[in-house]
Amino acid sequence: MRHMRIWTYVDLAARHGSLRRAAEELNITPSALQRRIQDVEEDLGAAIFERSAQGVRLTAAGETFIRWVRQQSVELDRTRSQIESLGGLRRGHIRIACSQALVNYFLPQEIAAFRTSYPHVSFAISVVDHDAALKRLVDYEAEIALIFRPRRSAELQPIVTVGQRLHAIMAADHPLAGRASLRLRDCAPYPIAIADRSFGSRRIVDEILSTSSFSLSIEFESDSFEMLRNLARSGQVVTFQIEIGSEVSWLEPGLISIPVADADPTHGPLVLGQLRGRTLPVAAAKFIEQVARRLDASRQLPQEEMLAGRAD
């Protein structure tokens, strides 16, 4: 275990690319961290880092060593989790990489439900795009990914895939608010607030527009769904979000959400997944099972019925 602690010091230096920043986080001096790294390099018989005035960078030997360290850390966490499970799951730590659409309602509700049964399990949630989420899985920085429209990758093992429609979000008194559904062209007369092109909802809109004879008046662009919804609440502005992220609008005063008929679930899958071949710690495995059941259930119920059940 003590050797593992020293190895994680090396890993932290690699992540920061700086001995000074790593030492500050570890609350030790840079010279002390340097000595520990030199001890490891002496044991390995090879340099782990290339050092320069800009910081440190892993050598080829260092890349190989860090991969091994991260694998050992994962195995240690899994072993601890298995030992803990012998007496029932009481503690654990779950790291999740997710798309922004999950953070307003779905994921907080799932975490709250899980902690009702396992109150001492902690969580670290990173809100990132699909490429960054996949990298976190590969680098053993996350156990679970819940992401919209991930690129194809042999390293991602999907657990559940759920199609997502596009929804238009607007103020409750908006002229379009009385409709059960609408077409994207119906929004053309109104100012549009839209996510930037790093988001899946924006790409769905762009795909529809690329084969259409009309255009939208995009007057606001943001990387924050909270900002977009606030703009929609304040006037005749229309914004868009995928189905699972738009659910919150029913619970937010002054907003409604209407499905966009142009966009069916084939426009974007929401994928719950993990790193292929990795055995998850018990806590993460239990949580991914819970979320998988929830997503499976969501495919069987109309959205209005799901929301009615959550409000009870």
Side-chain angles (χ1 to χ4, degrees):
M1 298 294 186
R2 292 180 181 178
H3 284 303
M4 192 70 202
R5 186 178 301 116
I6 295 172
W7 297 336
T8 57
Y9 287 2
V10 178
D11 187 19
L12 192 61
R15 294 182 193 278
H16 282 295
S18 165
L19 296 185
R20 180 183 57 79
R21 290 202 300 271
E24 286 175 355
E25 185 169 332
L26 293 167
N27 199 28
I28 61 176
T29 65
S31 60
L33 178 57
Q34 171 78 342
R35 286 195 298 273
R36 289 188 168 109
I37 291 173
Q38 289 172 340
D39 288 342
V40 174
E41 288 177 324
E42 185 176 336
D43 289 343
L44 290 174
I48 297 172
F49 292 109
E50 295 176 1
R51 295 159 174 85
S52 69
Q54 287 71 43
V56 294
R57 185 175 65 179
L58 287 169
T59 63
E63 293 278 3
T64 301
F65 177 69
I66 289 299
R67 279 196 299 271
W68 179 82
V69 167
R70 291 172 182 172
Q71 290 168 354
Q72 295 303 304
S73 179
V74 167
E75 285 300 309
L76 181 58
D77 287 344
R78 187 170 67 86
T79 300
R80 284 173 174 154
S81 181
Q82 289 174 333
I83 291 170
E84 178 113 2
S85 71
L86 296 174
L89 180 61
R90 287 188 291 272
R91 279 181 287 274
H93 185 64
I94 302 172
R95 298 171 297 175
I96 303 169
C98 71
S99 297
Q100 191 178 141
L102 282 299
V103 304
N104 291 306
Y105 185 80
F106 182 86
L107 196 52
Q109 289 293 314
E110 290 303 306
I111 290 172
F114 189 81
R115 280 173 57 84
T116 299
S117 301
Y118 309 108
H120 300 298
V121 173
S122 59
F123 286 80
I125 299 96
S126 300
V127 182
V128 293
D129 63 28
H130 45 69
D131 286 337
L134 180 59
K135 186 175 187 303
R136 286 179 182 271
L137 292 182
V138 172
D139 290 345
Y140 294 93
E141 294 178 349
E143 290 79 38
I144 299 170
L146 191 53
I147 44 180
F148 183 59
R149 300 185 101 191
R151 62 179 174 82
R152 291 182 179 273
S153 172
E155 294 158 319
L156 177 63
Q157 179 180 335
I159 307 300
V160 176
T161 300
V162 182
Q164 290 289 289
R165 291 178 175 85
L166 187 69
H167 278 235
I169 298 174
M170 65 197 71
D173 59 355
H174 192 280
L176 296 175
R179 304 191 182 196
S181 67
L182 51 78
R183 303 293 299 274
L184 204 59
R185 68 170 58 249
D186 298 328
C187 303
Y190 304 99
I192 301 298
I194 198 164
D196 67 38
R197 286 187 167 84
S198 65
F199 289 91
S201 58
R202 171 63 178 270
R203 291 193 290 274
I204 293 176
V205 172
D206 287 347
E207 287 165 10
I208 297 172
L209 291 175
S210 69
T211 58
S212 301
S213 59
F214 66 93
S215 61
L216 295 178
S217 178
I218 297 175
E219 299 185 14
F220 310 97
E221 187 172 338
S222 176
D223 61 358
S224 166
F225 287 146
E226 183 178 4
M227 171 61 78
L228 296 174
R229 288 197 304 274
N230 285 333
L231 288 168
R233 185 184 287 108
S234 65
Q236 291 202 339
V237 174
V238 178
T239 189
F240 303 96
Q241 200 164 348
I242 62 171
E243 190 170 351
I244 201 162
S246 69
E247 294 170 3
V248 73
S249 63
W250 269 278
L251 305 177
E252 288 186 6
L255 285 180
I256 67 163
S257 179
I258 302 175
V260 176
D262 309 67
D264 61 44
T266 61
H267 275 87
L270 177 70
V271 178
L272 171 68
Q274 66 173 84
L275 183 65
R276 189 176 300 278
R278 178 176 177 182
T279 301
L280 294 181
V282 174
K286 285 184 177 294
F287 184 72
I288 208 170
E289 288 172 6
Q290 173 189 301
V291 175
R293 287 194 300 268
R294 180 69 188 84
L295 291 174
D296 273 332
S298 74
R299 292 188 290 201
Q300 310 302 321
L301 295 172
Q303 192 175 62
E304 292 81 359
E305 187 175 338
M306 286 192 294
L307 290 168
R310 290 175 190 171
D312 292 343

